[in-house]
Amino acid sequence: MASGDEEALYGEELGVGALVSDWLVEQVHYRGPVSTLYRARHVRTGALAALKVLLPQPSDVALRRFRREAETLQRLRHPHIVDVLGYGTLADGRPFIAMEWLEGRDLAAELASRGPLSPGEALEVLEQVGGALRTAHQAGVVHRDLKAQNVVRLSTGSGAPRVKLVDFGVAKGLTPDAPGASTLTLTGVSLGTPLSMAPEQIRGEPPDARTDLYAMGVLLFQLVTGQPPFQGATRHEVEDLHLNAPPPRPSERAPVPAALDAVVLRSMGKRREDRYPDIDAWLDALRRAVKGSPTEDQPTLAVALYAEARLHGAVEPSSLERLDALLERVGGTARAAGLDVRLEGSGCLLAFAPLPPEAGAEQAARARVLHAALALVEFVAASEAPRPVDLAITVHVAELPREGSGGGLLHLPGWVAEPPGTDLVATARALEGLETAFLVTPVSAAGLGCLRVSRPR
């Protein structure tokens, strides 16, 4: 072969007929920003393979990330994780990974072609993705870039979907001996895809398994609605939504069971402590939401915050501005505490969210809301006299309202207290198990054993 022909085969982009270890390049399959994916065939067996080859003169970060992906995939063996067939370097030093050839298309292409999946189909797919994540997490590896484009649905010829998880290029080892563990990714560096990044990723904080569970919530939402929960014109806009906006409910965009809402909302908790503890708990919740269970009729409890701002004296533009600013502050504080604002009036606001079923997490969620409410009334109480606006807040726990229901939390006269000034009142159920954490005094309100909360102990 003439030297010019060799350069054509082994230049920046490998040509048809280039030999890479035991694989013969057949065509370019995908050109990426730092690597090229080729379809190749084994010279002896004829088996197809996907060759991922780094582009010439890669940066140190790209080179180390590429090698880390190869090492990670070689150690993570699972039926729903892409198999690595070989790993090496070209004559010019560029590394390559030979992986099994996956005949099919990624879930993003699948959704674009056929539209959203049914809840049952989504469960079939996510059971397999969850199994892959379980293996990774047990090995101390977080994927960190779980998204529809990185899950390939194989062309099996049968109706049942079969998928494989790919692209561990930004995977992170949780322990020094975990596959993929390195000092490549430092705290303060954000890696991943904005459409599915957890808030801690955006802030550059160390990931853990619950970081992938956030992405599973995003993927579930996308599978059943056909679109990601948060979209924006810029990366910054999308990141800001993940950091600050309450996640939308899939039932608002697609005809799916309302039970899926709770799975998505908990998966996409802003604080990782509010999410499911592991992939098995996540899958169990999804199965119950899709298939139902003997306990599905048991009510879901929610913690609620009702705030009412009251003006003193004559109504003036300045006092109205103070009232509006105060209610805006209340709304922001409620959202930061994990609540969804459901009602906003000219001088009032109602926010609530389902409580997690685990006792410890449930109590922590109530404590977080109580501390947030107390901070609001302390802020108003500390304002200069004469105070033009008072703020009365009641915190309560009751059954999460169901569609078409007007009782429970939505029947405000049944639980909202009416203290004369700026005060926080909590019902006995909201304070259960937390009585010693706050200084409280009994009050009379709606027969619910309400207590005035004055400060933490």
Side-chain angles (χ1 to χ4, degrees):
M1 181 183 294
S3 61
D5 294 333
E6 287 190 23
E7 289 176 5
L9 287 179
Y10 299 98
E12 180 172 325
E13 185 172 285
L14 301 180
V16 175
L19 185 64
V20 178
S21 186
D22 295 327
W23 291 274
L24 199 65
V25 172
E26 290 190 342
Q27 67 179 54
V28 174
H29 182 68
Y30 173 76
R31 295 177 176 89
V34 296
S35 63
T36 304
L37 189 68
Y38 302 88
R39 189 182 74 179
R41 194 174 295 273
H42 197 276
V43 292
R44 291 190 300 276
T45 67
L48 285 174
L51 281 179
K52 189 174 184 179
V53 182
L54 205 59
L55 296 179
Q57 299 179 334
S59 67
D60 289 343
V61 170
L63 183 62
R64 292 165 63 190
R65 187 179 300 163
F66 191 92
R67 288 173 175 166
R68 186 178 64 187
E69 179 181 13
E71 294 166 0
T72 300
L73 286 172
Q74 282 181 316
R75 293 179 59 183
L76 293 181
R77 296 293 182 178
H78 188 273
H80 298 294
I81 296 177
V82 63
D83 284 335
V84 169
L85 307 177
Y87 168 57
T89 57
L90 303 182
D92 61 6
R94 280 181 285 168
F96 71 86
I97 309 172
M99 298 171 285
E100 64 174 320
W101 179 261
L102 301 179
E103 199 65 57
R105 59 187 178 189
D106 64 56
L107 291 183
E110 181 85 358
L111 292 172
S113 173
R114 57 149 285 178
L117 276 59
S118 70
E121 290 173 317
L123 175 60
E124 285 187 272
V125 167
L126 294 175
E127 288 268 21
Q128 299 171 54
V129 177
L133 284 182
R134 183 186 301 111
T135 292
H137 293 170
Q138 288 174 348
V141 174
V142 182
H143 190 282
R144 288 200 305 172
D145 200 20
L146 178 63
K147 57 185 178 181
Q149 290 87 344
N150 284 340
V151 180
V152 176
R153 178 169 180 172
L154 307 180
S155 302
T156 60
S158 65
R162 184 166 181 266
V163 301
K164 289 220 174 190
L165 182 59
V166 302
D167 200 346
F168 279 75
V170 297
K172 174 69 173 176
L174 298 178
T175 59
D177 58 343
S182 76
T183 57
L184 173 60
T185 306
L186 303 176
T187 300
V189 178
S190 168
L191 288 176
T193 302
L195 287 176
S196 57
M197 284 175 68
E200 63 267 20
Q201 283 180 281
I202 296 170
R203 293 190 292 265
E205 298 169 0
D208 64 19
R210 294 167 296 181
T211 303
D212 283 342
L213 298 186
Y214 185 96
M216 284 288 273
V218 173
L219 182 57
L220 170 59
F221 186 101
Q222 187 173 359
L223 290 180
V224 298
T225 68
Q227 54 188 285
F230 294 132
Q231 300 181 75
T234 66
R235 179 188 181 102
H236 175 76
E237 187 176 330
V238 176
E239 290 180 346
D240 184 66
L241 290 170
H242 279 291
L243 287 170
N244 300 304
R249 299 169 181 270
S251 63
E252 295 173 352
R253 302 188 189 179
V256 300
L260 279 178
D261 292 346
V263 179
V264 169
L265 293 180
R266 186 172 177 192
S267 304
M268 296 182 64
K270 304 301 181 188
R271 293 159 29 102
R272 63 183 97 192
E273 294 84 358
D274 297 332
R275 301 172 204 155
Y276 294 94
D278 54 46
I279 187 61
D280 288 319
W282 190 93
L283 288 171
D284 187 53
L286 179 60
R287 293 184 199 109
R288 291 198 307 270
V290 174
K291 297 180 178 180
S293 70
T295 60
E296 66 178 348
D297 291 331
Q298 291 184 357
T300 299
L301 294 180
V303 59
L305 179 153
Y306 178 79
E308 185 173 338
R310 306 185 184 111
L311 291 174
H312 292 301
V315 177
E316 299 178 355
S318 60
S319 59
L320 287 174
E321 289 177 4
R322 292 280 295 273
L323 185 144
D324 290 341
L326 177 57
L327 285 176
E328 186 174 341
R329 185 186 187 100
V330 171
T333 300
R335 293 185 181 94
L339 303 181
D340 296 329
V341 175
R342 301 301 187 87
L343 180 152
E344 290 185 84
S346 57
C348 62
L349 179 149
L350 172 65
F352 56 82
L355 283 166
E358 297 84 4
E362 188 266 354
Q363 184 168 302
R366 288 187 285 116
R368 186 168 60 253
V369 173
L370 287 166
H371 279 292
L374 192 56
L376 286 168
V377 297
E378 288 175 344
F379 168 78
V380 175
S383 60
E384 294 181 5
R387 194 166 59 232
V389 182
D390 270 328
L391 179 67
I393 298 180
T394 308
V395 176
H396 181 44
V397 168
E399 181 178 343
L400 186 70
R402 301 186 181 187
E403 187 174 354
S405 169
L409 289 179
L410 298 181
H411 182 59
L412 299 179
W415 61 273
V416 171
E418 296 186 2
T422 291
D423 266 316
L424 168 61
V425 171
T427 63
R429 181 61 185 86
L431 276 167
E432 186 177 339
L434 298 169
E435 296 89 349
T436 59
F438 299 92
L439 185 63
V440 298
T441 54
V443 296
S444 175
L448 293 174
C450 289
L451 300 163
R452 178 174 287 106
V453 183
S454 53
R455 59 180 174 82
R457 286 188 185 273

